[in-house]
Amino acid sequence: NIGIGIKATDKLKITADVWYAALAESDRAGNKKLGTEVDLLLTYKLMKNLDLDLVGAYLFAGSATYGGANSKNPYELGTRLSFSF
């Protein structure tokens, strides 16, 4: 994986990562590549101990992930509140 994090403002941090995954051995069909995933995380400090995270991830699925030429690449969008005490 490779990634970068940037503190855009006192309250906003932006993090981006790229991941690549492959099987150690080929599957029954001879495939190894699981795919490449791109992640983006925005963290906004709402209060001293409260952060809001916005997460986005997209997988460019490889041949060993699932079958079919017409299969769509999966993605994820989400939010999270993190409270520390």
Side-chain angles (χ1 to χ4, degrees):
N1 114 320
I2 188 168
I4 187 169
I6 299 169
K7 189 170 183 177
T9 68
D10 288 342
K11 292 187 172 196
L12 180 64
K13 181 178 178 186
I14 302 168
T15 307
D17 289 295
V18 177
W19 295 82
Y20 174 78
L23 299 172
E25 297 178 8
S26 297
D27 63 10
R28 290 182 184 171
N31 300 316
K32 281 185 140 181
K33 184 178 178 186
L34 292 171
T36 302
E37 181 175 301
V38 178
D39 300 329
L40 181 63
L41 172 66
L42 303 174
T43 302
Y44 187 78
K45 184 165 284 306
L46 296 172
M47 299 169 62
K48 181 180 177 183
N49 297 326
L50 183 64
D51 293 341
L52 172 66
D53 294 332
L54 302 174
V55 181
Y58 189 86
L59 176 65
F60 298 93
S63 55
T65 304
Y66 50 82
N70 294 325
S71 298
K72 294 184 179 179
N73 293 327
Y75 64 91
E76 174 185 25
L77 298 173
T79 59
R80 172 178 61 196
L81 283 174
S82 300
F83 179 70
S84 60
F85 53 94

